[in-house]
Amino acid sequence: MAFDDLRGLLKALEKDGDLKRVKAEVDPHLEVGEITDRVNKAGGPALLFENVKGSRLPLAMNVYGTDRRLLKALGLDSYEEISERIGALLRPELPQGFVGVREAFGKLASVAHVPPKKVKSAPVQEIVLKGDDVDLDALPALFTWPRDGGSFFNLGLTHTRHPETGMRNLGLYRLQRHDRRTIGMHWQIHKDSRNHYQVAARRGERLPVAIAFGCPPAVTYASTAPLPADIDEYLFAGYLRGKRVELTDCVTVPLQVPARAEVVVEGWLEPGRMLPEGPFGDHTGFYTPQEPFPALDVECVTMRRDPVFQSIVVGRPPTEDGPLGRATERFFLPLLRIIIPDIVDYHLPEAGGFHNCAIISIDKKYPKHAQKVMSAVWGAHMMSLTKLIIVVDSDCDVHDLHEVAWRALGNVDYARDLLLTEGPVDHLDHASYQQFWGGKAGIDATAKWPEEGYTRDGGWPEMVRSDPAVAERVTGRWKEYGL
């Protein structure tokens, strides 16, 4: 089972020797970022900085920096474990016989018991600061890269509600600390919270916002998951952890937050109030430019008596958001197959920021099947932001980039097998010549059929493979060779 809170996970990691306490004073201006980035790229442990300059709060970093730690945090043995559970839940076949009916009820029960539940008493509200007692400078915001436009909170889980439907959204956005009571909200054009703000502004209303830090691991992951707008992140978090998430009412805004978070910031967004935000060294590995974004007026901060603050470092991959991206890739394969059943497997390389490139394998059944899949992917929710799609045959391991490159470099006639189009791209994409949309490419790296115009003598060549009998004999005698 997943951990109930951050501190429980930190305790377990320390017991495993997978957490290092840093007692020396460290500066959140560049120093913490440099230390964390080095440790992460070396595959090192989670870090707990106990003496952060300018703050009394210890700072947890690199907590999800390896697949091993993220899986432990979520109570999983592998990412495929939850993928299989989701796949089983989504299977459309009708139950047959008593056993089938029992299994169907079991599927329903696995979802019915995980909605969030409200509690009155919450550890995160042991300390309540309002008005002039609020001081965001006391929280360890990070100035990570030399040309950043200021100090940022990088792991704050932002809560909003749609002003008309009441639908809740939980998202992970970077947050610039403008001053002791103001935070810049970096809401990209495709994000649900941005839509909530625009609806409120159109109605001439303030939008309430709550930002939670140091949340239960399943909640933190759920905030990063690209769920459709009508799917509650807390329901998904409960399903993921196999247990309901406890929520509590905020003190000054009509929202609910995790009762076992470490720190919560509450405030309001006034319609039309914008401040320059950025530049910021983002997960693309490049600085994103300064732009105007909504500015949150903070009215209240609540926290535990001995809170632990949590943040991450993003920049040139690999970084801590790598395991989070890999989890999303595996978890959502069954959902993607519901939309596009042609897909056998897919891979979103971390080097592509998980959204710039998708490698997809298919069991090819008809001419131009690969191009059909490309079009379907570009029409599938947030997969619409994918810039490059490489389609390979089902016998290719999409996670073996050497194998994929061999197929893509050798199996393609770029006059016939390259599909070029235009469409939406990520808000942070710096390569597009104008913001929000740009060029896209699809590469058909499958074996080509005569019906697709490949009419050379002998047809598509056979791939070189070992003789199975000889390969088995060599394997059995391997020790004899002394190799």
Side-chain angles (χ1 to χ4, degrees):
M1 186 159 303
F3 288 86
D4 288 333
D5 54 21
L6 172 65
R7 57 185 56 199
L9 172 61
L10 296 179
K11 184 177 180 180
L13 293 178
E14 186 168 32
K15 184 178 180 182
D16 291 345
D18 206 9
L19 180 143
K20 174 67 176 178
R21 292 178 180 266
V22 179
K23 299 184 181 298
E25 184 182 66
V26 293
D27 195 332
H29 185 93
L30 299 178
E31 187 177 15
V32 169
E34 179 70 18
I35 295 169
T36 304
D37 193 50
R38 290 191 191 188
V39 171
N40 173 269
K41 285 179 169 52
L47 301 171
L48 187 62
F49 295 102
E50 297 183 331
N51 188 3
V52 181
K53 184 177 180 180
S55 177
R56 68 176 184 83
L57 276 65
L59 175 62
M61 301 290 297
N62 201 34
V63 175
Y64 306 124
T66 65
D67 294 313
R68 179 184 64 254
R69 285 200 293 278
L70 180 57
L71 288 169
K72 183 180 184 68
L74 300 178
L76 301 173
D77 293 323
S78 70
Y79 296 135
E80 283 69 23
E81 181 181 338
I82 191 67
S83 178
E84 291 168 1
R85 284 170 49 197
I86 294 174
L89 189 68
L90 294 173
R91 282 191 199 117
E93 63 263 17
L94 293 174
Q96 297 183 11
F98 174 76
V99 174
V101 172
R102 185 176 60 188
E103 289 179 352
F105 275 108
K107 291 180 181 181
L108 295 175
S110 69
V111 176
H113 80 282
V114 293
K117 65 177 180 180
K118 181 179 173 181
V119 296
K120 293 183 178 180
S121 178
V124 75
Q125 293 174 350
E126 291 171 340
I127 296 175
V128 178
L129 305 172
K130 295 182 181 179
D132 291 337
D133 291 331
V134 171
D135 183 8
L136 298 177
D137 290 336
L139 302 179
L142 298 182
F143 194 110
T144 306
W145 304 108
R147 294 189 180 180
D148 282 354
S151 296
F152 291 80
F153 303 118
N154 295 334
L155 203 61
L157 277 53
T158 301
H159 299 70
T160 59
R161 282 191 182 276
H162 193 288
E164 295 174 345
T165 68
M167 182 67 68
R168 171 171 49 209
N169 183 66
L170 174 65
L172 180 61
Y173 316 109
R174 77 185 193 220
L175 307 160
Q176 183 170 354
R177 184 178 64 193
H178 290 309
D179 57 43
R180 64 194 303 269
R181 291 190 60 183
T182 310
I183 290 177
M185 312 298 297
H186 187 266
W187 284 344
Q188 299 165 32
I189 190 171
H190 304 105
K191 304 300 184 181
D192 292 327
S193 288
R194 175 189 168 97
N195 179 48
H196 294 182
Y197 174 70
Q198 289 179 318
V199 172
R202 187 183 68 233
R203 293 161 57 100
E205 300 172 355
R206 299 189 302 167
L207 183 73
V209 176
I211 306 168
F213 299 91
C215 292
V219 175
T220 298
Y221 170 70
S223 73
T224 73
L227 297 170
D230 58 347
I231 301 296
D232 184 16
E233 286 83 3
Y234 280 103
L235 177 63
F236 179 65
Y239 178 72
L240 183 61
R241 71 200 295 261
K243 185 178 180 182
R244 300 171 71 182
V245 178
E246 293 182 347
L247 299 179
T248 191
D249 288 334
C250 289
V251 176
T252 61
V253 295
L255 296 168
Q256 294 179 332
V257 290
R260 294 184 174 275
E262 297 288 328
V263 177
V264 169
V265 172
E266 304 175 7
W268 298 83
L269 288 172
E270 296 289 343
R273 185 182 179 224
M274 314 282 276
L275 288 177
E277 192 270 359
F280 179 72
D282 219 311
H283 72 273
T284 60
F286 293 86
Y287 289 97
T288 51
Q290 186 180 86
E291 295 181 81
F293 278 96
L296 180 70
D297 295 316
V298 178
E299 291 194 356
C300 178
V301 174
T302 72
M303 62 182 71
R304 294 190 175 202
R305 288 194 182 90
D306 54 345
V308 177
F309 207 73
Q310 186 181 10
S311 190
I312 62 172
V313 166
V314 296
R316 293 179 64 175
T319 58
E320 187 174 348
D321 53 2
L324 296 169
R326 283 189 288 277
T328 291
E329 176 196 284
R330 292 296 91 194
F331 290 177
F332 286 88
L333 176 58
L335 296 175
L336 192 59
R337 281 176 172 161
I338 292 294
I339 304 171
I340 314 171
D342 314 69
I343 292 176
V344 173
D345 198 0
Y346 81 130
H347 178 49
L348 308 175
E350 182 178 0
F354 295 105
H355 62 263
N356 284 330
C357 176
I359 303 165
I360 296 171
S361 61
I362 63 171
D363 184 9
K364 189 170 178 177
K365 291 182 170 61
Y366 45 81
K368 298 297 181 180
H369 193 170
Q371 285 78 356
K372 181 258 191 181
V373 170
M374 295 172 194
S375 298
V377 170
W378 280 320
H381 192 44
M382 295 306 289
M383 293 293 288
S384 64
L385 304 181
T386 306
K387 295 202 297 181
L388 174 64
I389 300 174
I390 302 171
V391 182
V392 294
D393 289 304
S394 59
D395 64 342
C396 178
D397 180 359
V398 295
H399 306 284
D400 183 342
L401 296 184
H402 185 276
E403 169 82 1
V404 171
W406 179 63
R407 306 279 184 128
L409 298 176
N411 278 9
V412 177
D413 178 342
Y414 289 97
R416 293 174 176 265
D417 304 328
L418 178 65
L419 177 64
L420 296 176
T421 186
E422 291 180 332
V425 298
D426 187 73
H427 190 129
L428 302 179
D429 188 273
H430 62 278
S432 57
Y433 280 55
Q434 57 287 306
Q435 197 171 30
F436 306 135
W437 67 275
K440 296 167 177 284
I443 297 176
D444 179 358
T446 63
K448 304 309 182 299
W449 294 5
E451 295 90 337
E452 295 173 301
Y454 190 87
T455 57
R456 291 173 60 177
D457 291 343
W460 194 260
E462 183 181 352
M463 191 182 301
V464 174
R465 291 184 173 91
S466 298
D467 180 276
V470 174
E472 184 178 359
R473 185 168 70 248
V474 168
T475 299
R477 296 189 59 196
W478 194 256
K479 290 183 180 181
E480 294 182 45
Y481 306 143
L483 300 176

